[in-house]
Amino acid sequence: EDKVVQSPLSLVVHEGDTVTLNCSYEVTNFRSLLWYKQEKKAPTFLFMLTSSGIEKKSGRLSSILDKKELFSILNITATQTGDSAVYLCAYSTNAGKSTFGDGTTLTVKP
Amino acid sequence: GAGVSQSPSNKVTEKGKDVELRCDPISGHTALYWYRQSLGQGLEFLIYFQGNSAPDKSGLPSDRFSAERTGGSVSTLTIQRTQQEDSAVYLCASSLQAGATDTQYFGPGTRLTVL
């Protein structure tokens, strides 16, 4: 059965800490792995990964995909209170269908 | 340009009533997705439209759920004979073209409460 598993389910850190969020997946006809940030309402796009071993960066956030081991990580360095959110991982298949994990709830304390 | 819009933003209904939720995707986006998100849960895929192709309905939880996309743009998700377990936030997303990019842009959602 196709699925996405994220860990940890929740995480509490202090400002300035570095966090690593994990996403493992099992899917046939994999096309891409996506990360989203969800605060109060709709998710907003962070990264799309299609190739193994190529890190994508955006400011303090970075992500990498391992297609052999079927996982991805999202790193956030020098965390800030504004990083507090639910981080969602999803994959897309060649047919265009997306499946999301349950998310990791990150809380950054001042 | 404008993002994905959804209406209503909130809907309270009585058990057994029918509801219609509307989604206006970003202009020019050919792919449209409906998801459901219950409190504290991840996104549950419901249905996916790509251009004029037959929609992927594999995520619809029961035959009480249906969706249409008219003219390749606006979509309506209909839930008939609503049940309390249908209470959730219903999110719509669109993307430019599945295959060219998988980035989905989400609307603000419709919070459905079934009493």
Side-chain angles (χ1 to χ4, degrees), chain B residues 15-75:
Chain B
K15 177 181 174 181
K17 301 279 189 179
D18 296 352
V19 296
E20 282 191 354
L21 313 179
R22 177 187 167 104
C23 172
D24 277 279
I26 293 173
S27 178
H29 281 197
T30 62
L32 186 147
Y33 307 78
W34 281 99
Y35 298 91
R36 177 168 72 174
Q37 188 171 34
S38 301
L39 190 63
Q41 302 295 312
L43 274 67
E44 176 189 2
F45 168 80
L46 297 177
I47 188 169
Y48 156 62
F49 296 89
Q50 172 56 55
N52 295 321
S53 302
D56 179 347
K57 303 179 180 181
S58 59
L60 294 178
S62 78
D63 59 9
R64 296 186 296 105
F65 288 72
S66 62
E68 291 185 337
R69 190 177 184 194
T70 53
S73 181
V74 172
S75 177

Side-chain angles (χ1 to χ4, degrees), chain B residues 69-86:
Chain B
R69 190 177 184 194
T70 53
S73 181
V74 172
S75 177
T76 303
L77 177 69
T78 301
I79 309 173
Q80 296 177 309
R81 305 180 303 281
T82 52
Q83 304 294 313
Q84 288 181 333
E85 60 262 29
D86 299 334

